[in-house]
Amino acid sequence: MSQAIMDLVEKTALKENPPQFEVGDTVDVHLKILEGNKERIQVFTGVVIGISGQGCKEMFRVRRIVAGEGVERKFPLHSPKIEKVEVVRSGVVRRAKLYFLRDRVGKAVRLKERRRS
């Protein structure tokens, strides 16, 4: 009984057409930021290094380098604060989680680009 209610609540929170991307893709995440009473869009660009969860609890982790320092953010996929997610380029990967990129610097961080057909 309670599981059916939870499923119903989760279905209302899901986006109708969630963005399509994979681990290894470089993405632009457009976030709605509230500053006082004004709202603006802030873009976070980086490589998707992991996707976890399912349903309305699905999260994705994006990593980028800022001033020589690695920065990671974890975003809920179905959050109303996410305006859109654009795929900039697709990378070739052989793993589900790219946590090994945390130990790399410079050119070693780059992934090979996947051919688009």
Side-chain angles (χ1 to χ4, degrees):
M1 175 82 177
S2 65
Q3 185 63 33
I5 295 170
M6 287 297 293
D7 290 342
L8 184 66
V9 170
E10 284 185 7
K11 276 189 181 174
T12 60
L14 295 177
K15 286 186 179 178
E16 289 191 20
N17 50 352
Q20 300 296 316
F21 57 88
E22 298 174 9
V23 173
D25 291 355
T26 302
V27 294
D28 286 343
V29 182
H30 296 256
L31 291 165
K32 293 179 189 174
I33 303 291
L34 255 158
E35 290 179 337
N37 57 356
K38 294 195 316 190
E39 188 176 275
R40 67 181 180 88
I41 302 293
Q42 182 176 0
V43 181
F44 189 89
T45 304
V47 178
V48 178
I49 63 167
I51 300 174
S52 63
Q54 58 188 4
C56 71
K57 298 182 194 102
E58 191 168 358
M59 307 279 276
F60 63 100
R61 190 180 300 252
V62 180
R63 178 178 176 81
R64 73 177 187 179
I65 307 296
V66 178
E69 198 69 30
V71 176
E72 287 184 17
R73 279 192 72 177
K74 199 169 180 182
F75 300 101
L77 185 65
H78 297 282
S79 171
K81 289 192 175 195
I82 293 182
E83 183 75 21
K84 63 181 175 179
V85 178
E86 291 179 331
V87 177
V88 177
R89 57 188 296 247
S90 298
V92 176
V93 294
R94 293 165 43 167
R95 313 222 170 308
K97 304 284 192 275
L98 303 182
Y99 298 148
F100 66 89
L101 292 179
R102 293 172 177 164
D103 301 328
R104 298 196 177 178
V105 291
K107 287 185 175 181
V109 176
R110 294 187 308 188
L111 300 171
K112 288 183 185 173
E113 191 163 358
R114 187 180 322 132
R115 301 271 183 217
R116 295 183 187 191
S117 52

